[in-house]
Amino acid sequence: GTGNYHPSTARFYTDMSLFTADHALGEEVAMLFNTLTGLSEFKGVKQLLVAPFQMHDIFLKLINHERDLATEGKGGRIIVKLNSLVEESLIVALYEASQAGVEIDLIVRGICCLRPGVPGVSENIRVISIVGRFLEHSRIFYFGNGGKPKVYLGSADWMPRNLFRRVEVVFPVLDPGLRKRITDVIIPGYLNDCVKAHVLGSDGVYTRAVCPPGQEPCQVQLHFRNLARKSASLRVEAKTEKLPREVKKAAASNTPSS
C-alpha cells in the first residue's frame, strides 16, 4: 500500500492499497521481509521497485524511456503523484524529458524543488498541490510507455531519504481492470480538481486553480466520496434483490412511515 494501516491516520489520510494473489509478487514480498528480518540477503526482484537497492535507477530509466519516445516522435506522458519532490537527478531527468516534448503532470502536495513552466527548460511540466479535508498521502506513478501504460503505486516520495536511506516499496498494478480504474477515474479526478488545487508557477508561487470555461467545479476528494457512497448503495441494492420475498416484505412493513 501507499501508507500505514493505522486506526488513527486511516481516518484522515487518503491512501491506496492492493490486495493480490499474484504468486510472483507474493514471492518477492516474502523475500523482502526475509531481508528485513536478516534471514537472507537481498537477491533482487523483477516486479517490485525496492529502495535503497534499485528503485531510483528504475525510475530514471522509466523517465528516460518517455524522453526517448518523444524524441522519436512517438509522444511521451508522465503523471506522478507524491508528497514531496526533492531528488536532484530525477528533477534533471524530468527537465530533459520536458525539453524532448514529454507532457508531464506532477501532483505534489508538499515541497517541490522543480520549477515548472520555465521556457526552454520545463514548459511541458505542470505542478499542482491539493490540500483538502483529508491528507493526500497516496503515491501514483504513470508512464505512457507508447500506449501501453505502466502504473505503479507505493510508499516512496522522490527524496534522497526515501530513495537511498530507507527501505521503501513501489509495486506495479498488473490487473487491466484495476489499472484502467486508476488511469480513467482516479488520476483524472486529481488533474481536474479546480477547487482545492493550487498551481505552481515558474516563479515558485502557488495560485488557486481556475476551472476552465464550461467545466463544473471539481473537488476530487468530494468526488471520490460520492463515488464511494454510490458504490455502497448499489451493493446494498444488489444484496436486497437476492433476499427472499418474505424477508423483503417484513423489512418493508417495519419501515417507519413519514
Side-chain angles (χ1 to χ4, degrees):
T2 65
N4 300 321
Y5 289 100
H6 191 283
S8 177
T9 58
R11 294 178 179 273
F12 59 94
Y13 280 29
T14 72
D15 274 301
M16 299 176 67
S17 299
L18 174 70
F19 290 88
T20 179
D22 184 281
H23 184 72
L25 278 178
E27 282 193 335
E28 292 189 0
V29 170
M31 186 274 293
L32 178 60
F33 273 98
N34 286 335
T35 301
L36 291 174
T37 57
L39 296 177
S40 66
E41 295 182 355
F42 183 76
K43 300 176 181 178
V45 288
K46 295 181 178 180
Q47 300 195 65
L48 296 180
L49 282 60
V50 183
F53 302 106
Q54 33 75 295
M55 181 184 293
H56 173 264
D57 291 343
I58 291 178
F59 274 135
L60 274 180
K61 289 179 182 178
L62 290 167
I63 294 171
N64 291 337
H65 179 60
E66 297 302 313
R67 177 202 63 195
D68 294 342
L69 288 174
T71 301
E72 296 169 4
K74 299 178 182 179
R77 188 74 170 105
I78 297 173
I79 305 170
V80 176
K81 182 177 182 293
L82 299 158
N83 289 348
S84 302
L85 173 53
V86 175
E87 206 283 316
E88 183 177 357
S89 62
L90 291 176
I91 291 174
V92 170
L94 289 170
Y95 284 151
E96 293 175 348
S98 170
Q99 293 163 33
V102 179
E103 183 183 355
I104 302 172
D105 277 289
L106 305 175
I107 307 160
V108 186
R109 174 176 56 81
I111 184 171
C112 179
C113 294
L114 178 148
R115 288 290 181 92
V118 177
V121 178
S122 57
E123 60 262 61
N124 290 317
I125 303 178
R126 175 176 179 252
V127 177
I128 64 172
S129 172
I130 297 175
V131 179
R133 173 182 172 183
F134 302 102
L135 182 77
E136 289 295 335
H137 197 249
S138 59
R139 286 83 162 185
I140 306 171
F141 309 92
Y142 171 95
F143 301 92
N145 193 37
K148 299 179 181 179
K150 292 185 176 181
V151 179
Y152 298 85
L153 305 175
S155 63
D157 289 315
W158 283 359
M159 303 180 70
R161 70 181 188 189
N162 299 92
L163 296 168
F164 306 123
R165 298 195 295 274
R166 290 182 179 177
V167 176
E168 304 264 9
V169 175
V170 168
F171 54 90
V173 180
L174 303 174
D175 181 89
L178 295 178
R179 190 166 58 239
K180 183 175 178 61
R181 180 170 176 80
I182 293 171
T183 60
D184 293 4
V185 178
I186 295 175
I187 289 177
Y190 284 110
L191 296 180
N192 291 330
D193 191 308
C194 55
V195 176
K196 294 295 186 179
H198 286 73
V199 182
L200 179 61
S202 59
D203 57 358
V205 176
Y206 285 90
T207 57
R208 185 179 290 276
V210 178
C211 297
Q215 176 182 314
E216 290 290 326
C218 174
Q219 181 181 338
V220 63
Q221 293 185 1
L222 179 60
H223 174 60
F224 288 160
R225 295 205 300 274
N226 289 337
L227 287 179
R229 291 190 185 101
K230 182 177 180 180
S231 178
S233 177
L234 291 174
R235 287 198 299 270
V236 170
E237 290 178 4
K239 290 180 179 179
T240 303
E241 287 299 317
K242 295 179 181 179
L243 292 174
R245 183 180 303 175
E246 293 77 8
V247 176
K248 288 191 281 187
K249 185 177 179 180
S253 64
N254 290 328
T255 303
S257 59
S258 57

